[in-house]
Amino acid sequence: MRPKALPSRDAGYAELVRRYRDDDGFADTVQRVAAGLGLVVLAVGPQPGIVLAAVEESVFEIRMDEYARRTVLQNRQTDKMLHGLAHLAAAALAFPRPDDLGDDSYVGRVSVDQVDGAVREACRVLEERTTGAAADPLSDAPQLEAAWRAWLRRPEATATKDGRAGEATTRGIVGKALRFLADQGFLVAVGTEGAYRTTPRYQVQVRELAAQRAFDELLQLGVLPVATAGGALRAPTGLEAPDV
């Protein structure tokens, strides 16, 4: 319930993690209490601590409606879609190769510039594929087409009085996503403003709750930026995200 708390900084927390891993009865009790609160225990370990996820209709669930409502909206449905795309892109760029999700020592890097630039470039590629006399390659993915068209139409940045990117711009949307992830203990700000590193908690979340269908659609279209020619967003064998 305190997402930034870590066993390495709290002896009491570290002892609870040890007990969970060594005492099956205690682990079962923790899982039952979590279930009663509408939560699922994704992982428990000395690095991430206890990693929880809210089930549908849980009081702890953060819906995209609520999340997007906290910013200036131009079009509610479109803005919800763009905010979701920003989170998907952040996860994709933070863990661009299969092994990244299975390697507990891996630390990803992501920034506002990187995410916005990658999504904008992917949208440009998709736009090129729909021009000319060629058949529309996105006819089976109307929602994806709506997403990339909306992202390209939205300005990249419009400075506010204090010099920050406007909330409704794509950079503003990405910045909000990364700040939210940092508040949840999934990212940590590093170096220049707008740059972050991943935490073990985020690795667990992406590995266990990644929207596989969305990832698969983007991979099939060949628009996701990857670190190597063989890169992908899927977890290695045995780590596939369950349907949730």
Side-chain angles (χ1 to χ4, degrees):
M1 312 309 280
R2 291 182 291 132
K4 293 185 179 181
L6 294 172
S8 60
R9 300 175 185 170
D10 185 327
Y13 192 178
E15 173 58 23
L16 289 172
V17 167
R18 183 205 62 75
R19 186 177 175 190
Y20 181 97
R21 291 159 69 90
D22 294 344
D23 184 339
D24 291 342
F26 180 68
D28 182 64
T29 298
V30 171
Q31 292 169 10
R32 287 173 180 272
V33 171
L37 294 171
L39 299 168
V40 175
V41 178
L42 297 181
V44 178
Q47 282 191 302
I50 184 169
V51 185
L52 302 169
V55 301
E56 190 174 357
E57 303 301 331
S58 166
V59 67
F60 298 105
E61 181 186 22
I62 299 178
R63 291 181 171 275
M64 189 55 69
D65 243 345
E66 176 189 348
Y67 173 86
R69 194 180 300 129
R70 299 175 187 175
T71 189
V72 178
L73 297 180
Q74 293 189 3
N75 178 292
R76 183 169 299 279
Q77 281 303 116
T78 299
D79 279 49
K80 283 169 55 180
M81 180 169 56
L82 296 183
H83 282 289
L85 185 56
H87 276 275
L88 178 61
L93 292 165
F95 304 101
R97 300 166 302 185
D99 289 347
D100 298 339
L101 289 173
D103 181 359
D104 291 340
S105 65
Y106 178 81
V107 177
R109 302 275 177 167
V110 69
S111 70
V112 173
D113 288 343
Q114 179 192 25
V115 175
D116 185 42
V119 175
R120 196 164 286 276
E121 174 62 16
C123 291
R124 185 192 63 77
V125 171
L126 288 171
E127 182 180 43
E128 289 181 350
R129 295 186 185 184
T130 62
T131 59
D136 185 356
L138 301 180
S139 58
D140 294 329
Q143 292 181 323
L144 178 59
E145 181 173 0
W148 67 254
R149 288 189 186 278
W151 195 280
L152 285 179
R153 285 197 302 267
R154 193 63 60 90
E156 180 180 346
T158 300
T160 59
K161 291 182 179 179
D162 58 5
R164 294 180 301 171
E167 288 185 345
T169 65
T170 56
R171 285 178 57 85
I173 289 171
V174 172
K176 174 184 172 66
L178 299 188
R179 289 192 300 273
F180 172 82
L181 291 172
D183 289 341
Q184 297 300 311
F186 297 140
L187 298 176
V188 175
V190 295
T192 58
E193 184 177 357
Y196 299 82
R197 65 169 174 82
T198 61
T199 66
R201 290 176 62 85
Y202 192 40
Q203 185 184 49
V204 170
Q205 284 277 341
V206 174
R207 182 168 66 210
E208 301 297 333
L209 298 178
Q212 286 292 303
R213 284 189 296 273
F215 279 176
D216 287 343
E217 285 183 9
L218 295 176
L219 285 169
Q220 289 167 10
L221 286 166
V223 299
L224 282 172
V226 293
T228 66
L233 297 177
R234 296 190 190 88
T237 302
L239 293 176
E240 287 84 4
D243 290 332
V244 293

